[in-house]
Amino acid sequence: MFFKSLRNFALLAGCVCFLGGCSEESESPSFRKSEIRYGTDDLNRLDVCTPTAQPDGHRPVFIYVHGGGWNQGDKSELQAWQIEEFIDNGFLCVSVNYRLSPYPVEPKRPDRVQHPRHIQDVAQAVAWVVGNISRYGGDPTRLILAGHSAGSHLVTLAVTNQKYLQAENIDVEYIRGVCVLDGGGYLTMTDDVIFANSTILECVYNAVGDESNRDAWFDFAPGNHITEGKYIPPMLLIHSDDGIRVA
């Protein structure tokens, strides 16, 4: 493993647990941020954060996908102090925006952004990293994916339902680990908690359609794509003690 130990990485990754949906920006003298367009939609943008000093060789890359119920949120969730932690510990950071379903939710709107557009965008962003990050001092074969809430669902789906990465010609083994923060990565689409909480259920309907769309629901749930013998990167699961957030 390229990080010293799983325990040390867990402590480092834990710093992103304090996101709380905050999008406050601040500058830092220890890194520079470059916004890059990776696709044709206006939301197809990512931030590449590199040390101000000349990078010391090709660093592993921490790729963050924000939460927000698949309909809100922004790449600025990854704040300056969190980026500094990763930069100081030898990583580059990339924070990703992706197309969003409507907010307020409109689950019956036929032309809305819905699955699989979110995950297609995340895969396209990872493909941009693989193809370009070496120019910024990053190693495209040593990637960590991390996400919060809906973002955790998307990074988990990327490494379990691997057809989206494969469509972008990405070797899944370049992804050396996944950090799942609060909730979305555990979705089975049959959990009672989804149906017991109207806010979550409306977000799911908004993002993927209702239960009548069985193929999309199956495709959307990360656990449906775990099979014996498939390479799936090690996963670090971090969650609160709120039962809804563990759903």
Side-chain angles (χ1 to χ4, degrees):
M1 281 264 176
F2 58 83
F3 36 84
K4 292 180 180 178
S5 71
L6 186 58
R7 177 180 177 276
N8 287 346
F9 179 70
L11 292 172
L12 184 60
C15 79
V16 299
C17 293
F18 297 97
L19 291 169
C22 180
S23 60
E24 188 173 315
E25 281 286 343
S26 59
E27 297 299 322
S28 169
S30 67
F31 69 86
R32 63 173 64 91
K33 181 186 292 186
S34 304
E35 186 180 62
I36 306 295
R37 194 163 196 159
Y38 66 84
T40 57
D41 191 86
D42 192 53
L43 280 173
N44 292 155
R45 298 174 187 268
L46 54 82
D47 291 335
V48 179
C49 301
T50 58
T52 303
Q54 183 67 24
D56 46 350
H58 281 174
R59 293 177 167 217
V61 184
F62 179 83
I63 302 174
Y64 178 74
V65 180
H66 69 79
W70 305 278
N71 59 63
Q72 298 181 79
D74 186 77
K75 57 186 170 58
S76 60
E77 270 188 10
L78 196 62
Q79 298 170 69
W81 71 270
Q82 295 161 328
I83 296 167
E84 286 173 350
E85 288 292 326
F86 285 97
I87 295 291
D88 291 347
N89 281 275
F91 287 79
L92 298 189
C93 285
V94 175
S95 190
V96 176
N97 272 355
Y98 51 92
R99 285 174 289 180
L100 298 171
S101 298
Y103 180 82
V105 298
E106 298 181 77
K108 298 195 180 296
R109 180 175 143 192
D111 64 341
R112 73 189 186 281
V113 170
Q114 60 181 307
H115 179 74
R117 292 180 189 170
H118 322 96
I119 184 60
Q120 288 170 336
D121 285 358
V122 170
Q124 190 175 4
V126 175
W128 184 93
V129 171
V130 169
N132 295 278
I133 204 64
S134 60
R135 295 190 288 112
Y136 295 83
D139 184 343
T141 71
R142 295 190 295 163
L143 309 178
I144 294 288
L145 300 187
H148 175 250
S149 192
S152 77
H153 162 261
L154 292 171
V155 297
T156 307
L157 188 63
V159 299
T160 56
N161 192 354
Q162 297 174 359
K163 67 182 183 182
Y164 296 105
L165 294 177
Q166 291 165 352
E168 299 290 341
N169 297 311
I170 299 167
D171 186 339
V172 180
E173 295 195 12
Y174 289 173
I175 299 168
R176 306 297 185 90
V178 180
C179 184
V180 179
L181 302 170
D182 268 346
Y186 306 105
L187 280 177
T188 67
M189 307 304 285
T190 59
D191 288 318
D192 290 341
V193 70
I194 294 178
F195 296 96
N197 185 288
S198 60
T199 300
I200 294 176
L201 186 59
E202 283 298 297
C203 285
V204 169
Y205 284 168
N206 196 41
V208 71
D210 64 24
E211 302 94 320
S212 66
N213 197 348
R214 290 181 175 272
D215 290 344
W217 272 50
F218 184 90
D219 195 69
F220 189 72
N224 290 334
H225 309 286
I226 299 172
T227 57
E228 186 175 356
K230 176 190 281 189
Y231 171 78
I232 295 175
M235 291 193 180
L236 175 65
L237 310 179
I238 302 176
H239 58 77
S240 71
D241 59 1
D242 180 341
I244 293 296
R245 305 301 295 165
V246 179

